[in-house]
Amino acid sequence: MDIAVIGSNMVDLIAYINEMPKLGETLEAPDFKMGCGGKGANQAIAAAKLGSSVMMVSKVGDDIFAENTVRNFQHYGVNTDFVKKVTNVSSGVAPIFVDKSSQNRILIVKGANNHLKPADIDQAEVRLKNCKLFILQLEIPLETVYYAIDFANRHQIPVILNPAPASPDLDIQYACKCDFFMPNETELEILTGMPVQTMEQIQQAANSLLAKGLKNLIVTLGEKGSVWLHGNEITHIAPHKVNAVDTSGAGDAFIGCFAHYYIATQDVEKAMQMASLYSAYSVTGLGTQSSYPNKTEFEQFQQSVK
Ligand code: RIB
């Protein structure tokens, strides 16, 4: 396998809203979309749609959503041998609100994702130790994330850690054991307690995090592009201007695509450029995974923006 994603899956319940209701108020929203999501699953599907071989280590609940989630992984060729069911628990769900400017606000109910434990990594050991890259996020217990990082280090497998959603409890020493640490600007703000309104502020916040000993810090900045810091070097990848309708899952599209091209080329800048384009495409469609292009669609998009 190229990639192992040890992480979450959720059912996205997306309401397209004109405005957020006030306390006690009921408002009508013009549209709704349900789809497969979850940061881990989104990243796995993005890489798989581009042609990577991907395995998922994840937990689903004991409800009507579980089977559909597993079927969805399988439909895109993601290996589900280690996607296990937990009884008497709901699957993860994510009510999402997307406003008229395409920006999203997300709530997550982790459900079964909270039951992904270090023992689940042990069960998948034989398969995991032959993977070329791990991708981790923070929608599963931190102890499992740490265990996966130590496992990867023991087997010299590179790790991407996406600290999403940002957790003040994250032990930065574990982030330093990863090859890539990839927050978005909101997560950077929460992790550092520093403002991130301007590029200069973003750089200052990023540098303060890098100084803790990270190997490579890549910050995704939405319509400002992305930035890679390592050692004393900083590389800014410019954004692609598109007509955005829904930004949900764009960061996950970036990470899944980055992983795919990084494995293929070992070229960080090239992988970021491709990921930037891929996430730009994703915001032009509704939903999370449903807005990710497959290899052919992505190649056509690359031609169109040349
Ligand atoms: O990053 C977007 C994802 O965050 C959504 O798919 C939702 O499920 C939450 O996990």
PDB file of all heavy atoms in Angstrom, residues 8-14 35-43 92-96 104 106-109 113 139 162 164-165 184 187 247-253 287-289 292, ligand 1:
ATOM      1  N   SER A   8     -10.400   9.395  11.021  1.00  0.00           N
ATOM      2  CA  SER A   8     -11.846   9.481  11.184  1.00  0.00           C
ATOM      3  C   SER A   8     -12.627   9.274   9.901  1.00  0.00           C
ATOM      4  O   SER A   8     -12.113   9.431   8.798  1.00  0.00           O
ATOM      5  CB  SER A   8     -12.189  10.884  11.690  1.00  0.00           C
ATOM      6  OG  SER A   8     -11.737  11.824  10.728  1.00  0.00           O
ATOM      7  N   ASN A   9     -13.879   8.963  10.096  1.00  0.00           N
ATOM      8  CA  ASN A   9     -14.883   9.076   9.038  1.00  0.00           C
ATOM      9  C   ASN A   9     -16.119   9.693   9.684  1.00  0.00           C
ATOM     10  O   ASN A   9     -16.362   9.475  10.872  1.00  0.00           O
ATOM     11  CB  ASN A   9     -15.195   7.705   8.430  1.00  0.00           C
ATOM     12  CG  ASN A   9     -15.887   6.815   9.424  1.00  0.00           C
ATOM     13  OD1 ASN A   9     -17.104   6.883   9.597  1.00  0.00           O
ATOM     14  ND2 ASN A   9     -15.122   5.998  10.140  1.00  0.00           N
ATOM     15  N   MET A  10     -16.845  10.465   8.926  1.00  0.00           N
ATOM     16  CA  MET A  10     -18.059  11.122   9.444  1.00  0.00           C
ATOM     17  C   MET A  10     -19.113  11.115   8.337  1.00  0.00           C
ATOM     18  O   MET A  10     -18.775  10.986   7.165  1.00  0.00           O
ATOM     19  CB  MET A  10     -17.819  12.605   9.778  1.00  0.00           C
ATOM     20  CG  MET A  10     -16.667  12.904  10.691  1.00  0.00           C
ATOM     21  SD  MET A  10     -17.228  13.048  12.395  1.00  0.00           S
ATOM     22  CE  MET A  10     -15.640  13.129  13.225  1.00  0.00           C
ATOM     23  N   VAL A  11     -20.348  11.349   8.734  1.00  0.00           N
ATOM     24  CA  VAL A  11     -21.383  11.627   7.743  1.00  0.00           C
ATOM     25  C   VAL A  11     -21.607  13.136   7.769  1.00  0.00           C
ATOM     26  O   VAL A  11     -21.926  13.709   8.816  1.00  0.00           O
ATOM     27  CB  VAL A  11     -22.692  10.885   8.085  1.00  0.00           C
ATOM     28  CG1 VAL A  11     -23.782  11.259   7.099  1.00  0.00           C
ATOM     29  CG2 VAL A  11     -22.443   9.389   8.062  1.00  0.00           C
ATOM     30  N   ASP A  12     -21.366  13.778   6.641  1.00  0.00           N
ATOM     31  CA  ASP A  12     -21.523  15.235   6.570  1.00  0.00           C
ATOM     32  C   ASP A  12     -22.982  15.598   6.290  1.00  0.00           C
ATOM     33  O   ASP A  12     -23.584  15.096   5.333  1.00  0.00           O
ATOM     34  CB  ASP A  12     -20.637  15.808   5.456  1.00  0.00           C
ATOM     35  CG  ASP A  12     -19.160  15.766   5.818  1.00  0.00           C
ATOM     36  OD1 ASP A  12     -18.846  15.568   7.006  1.00  0.00           O
ATOM     37  OD2 ASP A  12     -18.327  15.936   4.909  1.00  0.00           O
ATOM     38  N   LEU A  13     -23.532  16.450   7.131  1.00  0.00           N
ATOM     39  CA  LEU A  13     -24.909  16.953   6.962  1.00  0.00           C
ATOM     40  C   LEU A  13     -24.768  18.443   6.706  1.00  0.00           C
ATOM     41  O   LEU A  13     -24.610  19.236   7.639  1.00  0.00           O
ATOM     42  CB  LEU A  13     -25.711  16.687   8.242  1.00  0.00           C
ATOM     43  CG  LEU A  13     -25.680  15.225   8.746  1.00  0.00           C
ATOM     44  CD1 LEU A  13     -26.201  15.117  10.165  1.00  0.00           C
ATOM     45  CD2 LEU A  13     -26.489  14.327   7.812  1.00  0.00           C
ATOM     46  N   ILE A  14     -24.762  18.799   5.441  1.00  0.00           N
ATOM     47  CA  ILE A  14     -24.390  20.176   5.087  1.00  0.00           C
ATOM     48  C   ILE A  14     -25.623  21.017   4.781  1.00  0.00           C
ATOM     49  O   ILE A  14     -26.393  20.704   3.861  1.00  0.00           O
ATOM     50  CB  ILE A  14     -23.451  20.207   3.862  1.00  0.00           C
ATOM     51  CG1 ILE A  14     -22.282  19.220   4.056  1.00  0.00           C
ATOM     52  CG2 ILE A  14     -22.927  21.617   3.634  1.00  0.00           C
ATOM     53  CD1 ILE A  14     -21.293  19.188   2.903  1.00  0.00           C
ATOM     54  N   GLY A  35     -23.397  13.665   2.724  1.00  0.00           N
ATOM     55  CA  GLY A  35     -22.351  12.930   2.011  1.00  0.00           C
ATOM     56  C   GLY A  35     -21.358  12.319   2.971  1.00  0.00           C
ATOM     57  O   GLY A  35     -21.405  12.552   4.184  1.00  0.00           O
ATOM     58  N   CYS A  36     -20.467  11.517   2.415  1.00  0.00           N
ATOM     59  CA  CYS A  36     -19.418  10.917   3.244  1.00  0.00           C
ATOM     60  C   CYS A  36     -18.321  11.939   3.475  1.00  0.00           C
ATOM     61  O   CYS A  36     -17.879  12.609   2.537  1.00  0.00           O
ATOM     62  CB  CYS A  36     -18.852   9.689   2.535  1.00  0.00           C
ATOM     63  SG  CYS A  36     -20.019   8.336   2.493  1.00  0.00           S
ATOM     64  N   GLY A  37     -17.898  12.044   4.731  1.00  0.00           N
ATOM     65  CA  GLY A  37     -16.855  12.999   5.080  1.00  0.00           C
ATOM     66  C   GLY A  37     -16.003  12.479   6.207  1.00  0.00           C
ATOM     67  O   GLY A  37     -15.826  11.267   6.367  1.00  0.00           O
ATOM     68  N   GLY A  38     -15.517  13.413   7.025  1.00  0.00           N
ATOM     69  CA  GLY A  38     -14.543  13.075   8.063  1.00  0.00           C
ATOM     70  C   GLY A  38     -13.164  13.360   7.494  1.00  0.00           C
ATOM     71  O   GLY A  38     -12.877  12.993   6.345  1.00  0.00           O
ATOM     72  N   LYS A  39     -12.338  14.018   8.286  1.00  0.00           N
ATOM     73  CA  LYS A  39     -11.046  14.471   7.740  1.00  0.00           C
ATOM     74  C   LYS A  39     -10.193  13.303   7.246  1.00  0.00           C
ATOM     75  O   LYS A  39      -9.589  13.359   6.177  1.00  0.00           O
ATOM     76  CB  LYS A  39     -10.300  15.302   8.779  1.00  0.00           C
ATOM     77  CG  LYS A  39     -11.068  16.582   9.118  1.00  0.00           C
ATOM     78  CD  LYS A  39     -10.373  17.441  10.140  1.00  0.00           C
ATOM     79  CE  LYS A  39     -11.326  18.477  10.718  1.00  0.00           C
ATOM     80  NZ  LYS A  39     -11.929  19.397   9.755  1.00  0.00           N
ATOM     81  N   GLY A  40     -10.148  12.225   8.025  1.00  0.00           N
ATOM     82  CA  GLY A  40      -9.341  11.073   7.605  1.00  0.00           C
ATOM     83  C   GLY A  40      -9.871  10.482   6.315  1.00  0.00           C
ATOM     84  O   GLY A  40      -9.122  10.263   5.352  1.00  0.00           O
ATOM     85  N   ALA A  41     -11.167  10.236   6.291  1.00  0.00           N
ATOM     86  CA  ALA A  41     -11.776   9.631   5.100  1.00  0.00           C
ATOM     87  C   ALA A  41     -11.604  10.533   3.883  1.00  0.00           C
ATOM     88  O   ALA A  41     -11.297  10.058   2.784  1.00  0.00           O
ATOM     89  CB  ALA A  41     -13.262   9.375   5.364  1.00  0.00           C
ATOM     90  N   ASN A  42     -11.786  11.832   4.071  1.00  0.00           N
ATOM     91  CA  ASN A  42     -11.642  12.748   2.936  1.00  0.00           C
ATOM     92  C   ASN A  42     -10.232  12.669   2.345  1.00  0.00           C
ATOM     93  O   ASN A  42     -10.050  12.636   1.123  1.00  0.00           O
ATOM     94  CB  ASN A  42     -11.893  14.200   3.381  1.00  0.00           C
ATOM     95  CG  ASN A  42     -13.336  14.447   3.791  1.00  0.00           C
ATOM     96  OD1 ASN A  42     -14.208  13.620   3.548  1.00  0.00           O
ATOM     97  ND2 ASN A  42     -13.588  15.588   4.430  1.00  0.00           N
ATOM     98  N   GLN A  43      -9.240  12.646   3.228  1.00  0.00           N
ATOM     99  CA  GLN A  43      -7.850  12.610   2.751  1.00  0.00           C
ATOM    100  C   GLN A  43      -7.576  11.290   2.035  1.00  0.00           C
ATOM    101  O   GLN A  43      -6.896  11.256   0.999  1.00  0.00           O
ATOM    102  CB  GLN A  43      -6.905  12.835   3.943  1.00  0.00           C
ATOM    103  CG  GLN A  43      -7.053  14.256   4.502  1.00  0.00           C
ATOM    104  CD  GLN A  43      -6.466  14.485   5.882  1.00  0.00           C
ATOM    105  OE1 GLN A  43      -5.668  13.686   6.366  1.00  0.00           O
ATOM    106  NE2 GLN A  43      -6.836  15.591   6.522  1.00  0.00           N
ATOM    107  N   GLY A  92     -19.630   8.634  13.365  1.00  0.00           N
ATOM    108  CA  GLY A  92     -19.320  10.062  13.463  1.00  0.00           C
ATOM    109  C   GLY A  92     -20.215  10.853  12.528  1.00  0.00           C
ATOM    110  O   GLY A  92     -20.499  10.406  11.409  1.00  0.00           O
ATOM    111  N   VAL A  93     -20.708  11.991  13.004  1.00  0.00           N
ATOM    112  CA  VAL A  93     -21.505  12.862  12.129  1.00  0.00           C
ATOM    113  C   VAL A  93     -21.005  14.299  12.241  1.00  0.00           C
ATOM    114  O   VAL A  93     -20.490  14.707  13.286  1.00  0.00           O
ATOM    115  CB  VAL A  93     -23.028  12.836  12.440  1.00  0.00           C
ATOM    116  CG1 VAL A  93     -23.653  11.521  12.066  1.00  0.00           C
ATOM    117  CG2 VAL A  93     -23.310  13.178  13.875  1.00  0.00           C
ATOM    118  N   ALA A  94     -21.174  15.040  11.160  1.00  0.00           N
ATOM    119  CA  ALA A  94     -20.699  16.428  11.144  1.00  0.00           C
ATOM    120  C   ALA A  94     -21.745  17.357  10.533  1.00  0.00           C
ATOM    121  O   ALA A  94     -21.867  17.420   9.308  1.00  0.00           O
ATOM    122  CB  ALA A  94     -19.393  16.516  10.355  1.00  0.00           C
ATOM    123  N   PRO A  95     -22.533  18.046  11.382  1.00  0.00           N
ATOM    124  CA  PRO A  95     -23.382  19.114  10.849  1.00  0.00           C
ATOM    125  C   PRO A  95     -22.478  20.267  10.379  1.00  0.00           C
ATOM    126  O   PRO A  95     -21.588  20.696  11.119  1.00  0.00           O
ATOM    127  CB  PRO A  95     -24.226  19.547  12.059  1.00  0.00           C
ATOM    128  CG  PRO A  95     -24.079  18.418  13.042  1.00  0.00           C
ATOM    129  CD  PRO A  95     -22.727  17.833  12.814  1.00  0.00           C
ATOM    130  N   ILE A  96     -22.687  20.682   9.139  1.00  0.00           N
ATOM    131  CA  ILE A  96     -21.836  21.734   8.545  1.00  0.00           C
ATOM    132  C   ILE A  96     -22.739  22.850   8.030  1.00  0.00           C
ATOM    133  O   ILE A  96     -23.808  22.587   7.459  1.00  0.00           O
ATOM    134  CB  ILE A  96     -20.994  21.158   7.381  1.00  0.00           C
ATOM    135  CG1 ILE A  96     -20.087  20.019   7.900  1.00  0.00           C
ATOM    136  CG2 ILE A  96     -20.159  22.242   6.707  1.00  0.00           C
ATOM    137  CD1 ILE A  96     -19.232  19.354   6.825  1.00  0.00           C
ATOM    138  N   ASN A 104     -17.217  27.719   5.552  1.00  0.00           N
ATOM    139  CA  ASN A 104     -17.919  26.702   6.335  1.00  0.00           C
ATOM    140  C   ASN A 104     -17.673  26.812   7.828  1.00  0.00           C
ATOM    141  O   ASN A 104     -16.628  27.295   8.271  1.00  0.00           O
ATOM    142  CB  ASN A 104     -17.505  25.308   5.855  1.00  0.00           C
ATOM    143  CG  ASN A 104     -16.020  25.050   6.060  1.00  0.00           C
ATOM    144  OD1 ASN A 104     -15.580  24.722   7.162  1.00  0.00           O
ATOM    145  ND2 ASN A 104     -15.241  25.218   5.006  1.00  0.00           N
ATOM    146  N   ILE A 106     -18.084  24.016  11.084  1.00  0.00           N
ATOM    147  CA  ILE A 106     -18.300  22.573  11.241  1.00  0.00           C
ATOM    148  C   ILE A 106     -18.383  22.172  12.710  1.00  0.00           C
ATOM    149  O   ILE A 106     -17.562  22.605  13.520  1.00  0.00           O
ATOM    150  CB  ILE A 106     -17.148  21.776  10.574  1.00  0.00           C
ATOM    151  CG1 ILE A 106     -17.001  22.160   9.099  1.00  0.00           C
ATOM    152  CG2 ILE A 106     -17.364  20.281  10.723  1.00  0.00           C
ATOM    153  CD1 ILE A 106     -15.870  21.461   8.359  1.00  0.00           C
ATOM    154  N   LEU A 107     -19.388  21.362  13.022  1.00  0.00           N
ATOM    155  CA  LEU A 107     -19.456  20.704  14.338  1.00  0.00           C
ATOM    156  C   LEU A 107     -19.163  19.234  14.108  1.00  0.00           C
ATOM    157  O   LEU A 107     -19.629  18.672  13.109  1.00  0.00           O
ATOM    158  CB  LEU A 107     -20.874  20.810  14.901  1.00  0.00           C
ATOM    159  CG  LEU A 107     -21.288  22.135  15.505  1.00  0.00           C
ATOM    160  CD1 LEU A 107     -22.794  22.119  15.740  1.00  0.00           C
ATOM    161  CD2 LEU A 107     -20.543  22.366  16.808  1.00  0.00           C
ATOM    162  N   ILE A 108     -18.413  18.593  14.997  1.00  0.00           N
ATOM    163  CA  ILE A 108     -18.262  17.141  14.834  1.00  0.00           C
ATOM    164  C   ILE A 108     -18.749  16.410  16.079  1.00  0.00           C
ATOM    165  O   ILE A 108     -18.533  16.847  17.202  1.00  0.00           O
ATOM    166  CB  ILE A 108     -16.803  16.714  14.516  1.00  0.00           C
ATOM    167  CG1 ILE A 108     -15.811  17.220  15.566  1.00  0.00           C
ATOM    168  CG2 ILE A 108     -16.389  17.134  13.122  1.00  0.00           C
ATOM    169  CD1 ILE A 108     -14.457  16.534  15.508  1.00  0.00           C
ATOM    170  N   VAL A 109     -19.447  15.310  15.813  1.00  0.00           N
ATOM    171  CA  VAL A 109     -19.805  14.373  16.887  1.00  0.00           C
ATOM    172  C   VAL A 109     -18.986  13.124  16.568  1.00  0.00           C
ATOM    173  O   VAL A 109     -19.264  12.430  15.583  1.00  0.00           O
ATOM    174  CB  VAL A 109     -21.312  14.043  16.853  1.00  0.00           C
ATOM    175  CG1 VAL A 109     -21.681  13.126  18.014  1.00  0.00           C
ATOM    176  CG2 VAL A 109     -22.153  15.324  16.884  1.00  0.00           C
ATOM    177  N   ASN A 113     -15.545   7.155  16.146  1.00  0.00           N
ATOM    178  CA  ASN A 113     -14.141   7.567  15.960  1.00  0.00           C
ATOM    179  C   ASN A 113     -13.386   7.632  17.289  1.00  0.00           C
ATOM    180  O   ASN A 113     -12.171   7.457  17.326  1.00  0.00           O
ATOM    181  CB  ASN A 113     -14.078   8.939  15.271  1.00  0.00           C
ATOM    182  CG  ASN A 113     -14.591   8.873  13.854  1.00  0.00           C
ATOM    183  OD1 ASN A 113     -13.990   8.221  13.008  1.00  0.00           O
ATOM    184  ND2 ASN A 113     -15.733   9.524  13.601  1.00  0.00           N
ATOM    185  N   GLU A 139      -9.220  13.703  14.870  1.00  0.00           N
ATOM    186  CA  GLU A 139     -10.622  13.367  15.154  1.00  0.00           C
ATOM    187  C   GLU A 139     -10.736  11.993  15.809  1.00  0.00           C
ATOM    188  O   GLU A 139     -11.835  11.429  15.889  1.00  0.00           O
ATOM    189  CB  GLU A 139     -11.459  13.448  13.867  1.00  0.00           C
ATOM    190  CG  GLU A 139     -11.633  14.891  13.401  1.00  0.00           C
ATOM    191  CD  GLU A 139     -12.466  15.060  12.146  1.00  0.00           C
ATOM    192  OE1 GLU A 139     -12.451  14.149  11.288  1.00  0.00           O
ATOM    193  OE2 GLU A 139     -13.120  16.102  12.003  1.00  0.00           O
ATOM    194  N   ASN A 162      -1.958  16.181  10.466  1.00  0.00           N
ATOM    195  CA  ASN A 162      -2.850  17.314  10.234  1.00  0.00           C
ATOM    196  C   ASN A 162      -3.551  17.599  11.573  1.00  0.00           C
ATOM    197  O   ASN A 162      -4.413  16.826  11.984  1.00  0.00           O
ATOM    198  CB  ASN A 162      -3.852  16.905   9.137  1.00  0.00           C
ATOM    199  CG  ASN A 162      -5.012  17.850   8.965  1.00  0.00           C
ATOM    200  OD1 ASN A 162      -6.145  17.441   8.751  1.00  0.00           O
ATOM    201  ND2 ASN A 162      -4.756  19.129   9.017  1.00  0.00           N
ATOM    202  N   ALA A 164      -6.020  18.709  13.066  1.00  0.00           N
ATOM    203  CA  ALA A 164      -7.380  19.206  12.875  1.00  0.00           C
ATOM    204  C   ALA A 164      -8.392  18.209  13.413  1.00  0.00           C
ATOM    205  O   ALA A 164      -8.292  17.025  13.097  1.00  0.00           O
ATOM    206  CB  ALA A 164      -7.630  19.438  11.383  1.00  0.00           C
ATOM    207  N   PRO A 165      -9.353  18.682  14.244  1.00  0.00           N
ATOM    208  CA  PRO A 165      -9.437  20.058  14.727  1.00  0.00           C
ATOM    209  C   PRO A 165      -8.312  20.333  15.731  1.00  0.00           C
ATOM    210  O   PRO A 165      -7.830  19.405  16.396  1.00  0.00           O
ATOM    211  CB  PRO A 165     -10.809  20.095  15.417  1.00  0.00           C
ATOM    212  CG  PRO A 165     -11.167  18.682  15.706  1.00  0.00           C
ATOM    213  CD  PRO A 165     -10.435  17.815  14.737  1.00  0.00           C
ATOM    214  N   ASN A 184      -4.209  24.368   9.140  1.00  0.00           N
ATOM    215  CA  ASN A 184      -4.660  25.512   8.346  1.00  0.00           C
ATOM    216  C   ASN A 184      -4.443  26.765   9.202  1.00  0.00           C
ATOM    217  O   ASN A 184      -3.961  26.684  10.337  1.00  0.00           O
ATOM    218  CB  ASN A 184      -6.110  25.351   7.854  1.00  0.00           C
ATOM    219  CG  ASN A 184      -7.129  25.357   8.992  1.00  0.00           C
ATOM    220  OD1 ASN A 184      -6.843  25.775  10.121  1.00  0.00           O
ATOM    221  ND2 ASN A 184      -8.327  24.889   8.713  1.00  0.00           N
ATOM    222  N   GLU A 187      -6.134  26.741  12.655  1.00  0.00           N
ATOM    223  CA  GLU A 187      -5.447  25.838  13.594  1.00  0.00           C
ATOM    224  C   GLU A 187      -4.117  26.432  14.045  1.00  0.00           C
ATOM    225  O   GLU A 187      -3.729  26.300  15.211  1.00  0.00           O
ATOM    226  CB  GLU A 187      -5.256  24.464  12.933  1.00  0.00           C
ATOM    227  CG  GLU A 187      -6.565  23.690  12.808  1.00  0.00           C
ATOM    228  CD  GLU A 187      -6.753  22.928  11.520  1.00  0.00           C
ATOM    229  OE1 GLU A 187      -5.791  22.765  10.739  1.00  0.00           O
ATOM    230  OE2 GLU A 187      -7.898  22.507  11.261  1.00  0.00           O
ATOM    231  N   THR A 247     -16.336  25.577   0.538  1.00  0.00           N
ATOM    232  CA  THR A 247     -14.925  25.319   0.890  1.00  0.00           C
ATOM    233  C   THR A 247     -14.765  24.117   1.825  1.00  0.00           C
ATOM    234  O   THR A 247     -13.636  23.790   2.207  1.00  0.00           O
ATOM    235  CB  THR A 247     -14.321  26.558   1.577  1.00  0.00           C
ATOM    236  OG1 THR A 247     -15.132  26.883   2.719  1.00  0.00           O
ATOM    237  CG2 THR A 247     -14.242  27.742   0.641  1.00  0.00           C
ATOM    238  N   SER A 248     -15.869  23.455   2.203  1.00  0.00           N
ATOM    239  CA  SER A 248     -15.760  22.315   3.135  1.00  0.00           C
ATOM    240  C   SER A 248     -14.854  21.229   2.555  1.00  0.00           C
ATOM    241  O   SER A 248     -15.036  20.818   1.410  1.00  0.00           O
ATOM    242  CB  SER A 248     -17.119  21.666   3.398  1.00  0.00           C
ATOM    243  OG  SER A 248     -18.099  22.636   3.605  1.00  0.00           O
ATOM    244  N   GLY A 249     -13.918  20.765   3.347  1.00  0.00           N
ATOM    245  CA  GLY A 249     -13.066  19.644   2.935  1.00  0.00           C
ATOM    246  C   GLY A 249     -11.931  20.035   2.002  1.00  0.00           C
ATOM    247  O   GLY A 249     -11.195  19.160   1.526  1.00  0.00           O
ATOM    248  N   ALA A 250     -11.757  21.345   1.751  1.00  0.00           N
ATOM    249  CA  ALA A 250     -10.689  21.754   0.821  1.00  0.00           C
ATOM    250  C   ALA A 250      -9.306  21.449   1.403  1.00  0.00           C
ATOM    251  O   ALA A 250      -8.385  21.056   0.679  1.00  0.00           O
ATOM    252  CB  ALA A 250     -10.820  23.242   0.493  1.00  0.00           C
ATOM    253  N   GLY A 251      -9.173  21.625   2.707  1.00  0.00           N
ATOM    254  CA  GLY A 251      -7.890  21.319   3.358  1.00  0.00           C
ATOM    255  C   GLY A 251      -7.568  19.835   3.251  1.00  0.00           C
ATOM    256  O   GLY A 251      -6.408  19.440   3.058  1.00  0.00           O
ATOM    257  N   ASP A 252      -8.586  19.000   3.361  1.00  0.00           N
ATOM    258  CA  ASP A 252      -8.372  17.551   3.248  1.00  0.00           C
ATOM    259  C   ASP A 252      -7.998  17.172   1.815  1.00  0.00           C
ATOM    260  O   ASP A 252      -7.176  16.274   1.595  1.00  0.00           O
ATOM    261  CB  ASP A 252      -9.640  16.785   3.662  1.00  0.00           C
ATOM    262  CG  ASP A 252     -10.050  17.109   5.089  1.00  0.00           C
ATOM    263  OD1 ASP A 252      -9.151  17.344   5.915  1.00  0.00           O
ATOM    264  OD2 ASP A 252     -11.263  17.134   5.363  1.00  0.00           O
ATOM    265  N   ALA A 253      -8.627  17.860   0.850  1.00  0.00           N
ATOM    266  CA  ALA A 253      -8.280  17.624  -0.555  1.00  0.00           C
ATOM    267  C   ALA A 253      -6.802  17.946  -0.762  1.00  0.00           C
ATOM    268  O   ALA A 253      -6.067  17.196  -1.424  1.00  0.00           O
ATOM    269  CB  ALA A 253      -9.145  18.503  -1.460  1.00  0.00           C
ATOM    270  N   GLY A 287     -20.162  19.943  -1.261  1.00  0.00           N
ATOM    271  CA  GLY A 287     -19.807  18.781  -0.457  1.00  0.00           C
ATOM    272  C   GLY A 287     -18.303  18.657  -0.257  1.00  0.00           C
ATOM    273  O   GLY A 287     -17.523  19.511  -0.693  1.00  0.00           O
ATOM    274  N   THR A 288     -17.914  17.584   0.415  1.00  0.00           N
ATOM    275  CA  THR A 288     -16.484  17.359   0.662  1.00  0.00           C
ATOM    276  C   THR A 288     -15.952  16.373  -0.394  1.00  0.00           C
ATOM    277  O   THR A 288     -15.559  16.791  -1.472  1.00  0.00           O
ATOM    278  CB  THR A 288     -16.257  16.882   2.118  1.00  0.00           C
ATOM    279  OG1 THR A 288     -17.097  15.756   2.390  1.00  0.00           O
ATOM    280  CG2 THR A 288     -16.597  17.985   3.096  1.00  0.00           C
ATOM    281  N   GLN A 289     -16.002  15.080  -0.104  1.00  0.00           N
ATOM    282  CA  GLN A 289     -15.455  14.092  -1.057  1.00  0.00           C
ATOM    283  C   GLN A 289     -16.093  14.207  -2.442  1.00  0.00           C
ATOM    284  O   GLN A 289     -15.458  13.963  -3.468  1.00  0.00           O
ATOM    285  CB  GLN A 289     -15.680  12.673  -0.527  1.00  0.00           C
ATOM    286  CG  GLN A 289     -14.931  12.383   0.739  1.00  0.00           C
ATOM    287  CD  GLN A 289     -15.342  11.073   1.365  1.00  0.00           C
ATOM    288  OE1 GLN A 289     -15.849  10.165   0.710  1.00  0.00           O
ATOM    289  NE2 GLN A 289     -15.105  10.945   2.656  1.00  0.00           N
ATOM    290  N   TYR A 292     -14.249  16.274  -4.984  1.00  0.00           N
ATOM    291  CA  TYR A 292     -12.860  15.981  -5.349  1.00  0.00           C
ATOM    292  C   TYR A 292     -12.796  15.351  -6.735  1.00  0.00           C
ATOM    293  O   TYR A 292     -13.493  14.363  -7.003  1.00  0.00           O
ATOM    294  CB  TYR A 292     -12.207  15.005  -4.355  1.00  0.00           C
ATOM    295  CG  TYR A 292     -12.159  15.465  -2.911  1.00  0.00           C
ATOM    296  CD1 TYR A 292     -11.815  14.584  -1.895  1.00  0.00           C
ATOM    297  CD2 TYR A 292     -12.454  16.781  -2.557  1.00  0.00           C
ATOM    298  CE1 TYR A 292     -11.759  14.983  -0.570  1.00  0.00           C
ATOM    299  CE2 TYR A 292     -12.410  17.190  -1.238  1.00  0.00           C
ATOM    300  CZ  TYR A 292     -12.066  16.289  -0.243  1.00  0.00           C
ATOM    301  OH  TYR A 292     -12.021  16.681   1.066  1.00  0.00           O
TER     302      TYR A 292
HETATM  303  O1  RIB B   1     -12.473  18.916   6.926  1.00  0.00           O
HETATM  304  C1  RIB B   1     -13.817  18.731   6.591  1.00  0.00           C
HETATM  305  C2  RIB B   1     -14.380  17.620   7.396  1.00  0.00           C
HETATM  306  O2  RIB B   1     -14.375  17.982   8.767  1.00  0.00           O
HETATM  307  C3  RIB B   1     -15.809  17.288   7.089  1.00  0.00           C
HETATM  308  O3  RIB B   1     -15.938  16.290   6.117  1.00  0.00           O
HETATM  309  C4  RIB B   1     -16.390  16.894   8.439  1.00  0.00           C
HETATM  310  O4  RIB B   1     -16.818  15.585   8.456  1.00  0.00           O
HETATM  311  C5  RIB B   1     -15.284  17.169   9.450  1.00  0.00           C
HETATM  312  O5  RIB B   1     -14.615  16.029   9.803  1.00  0.00           O
END
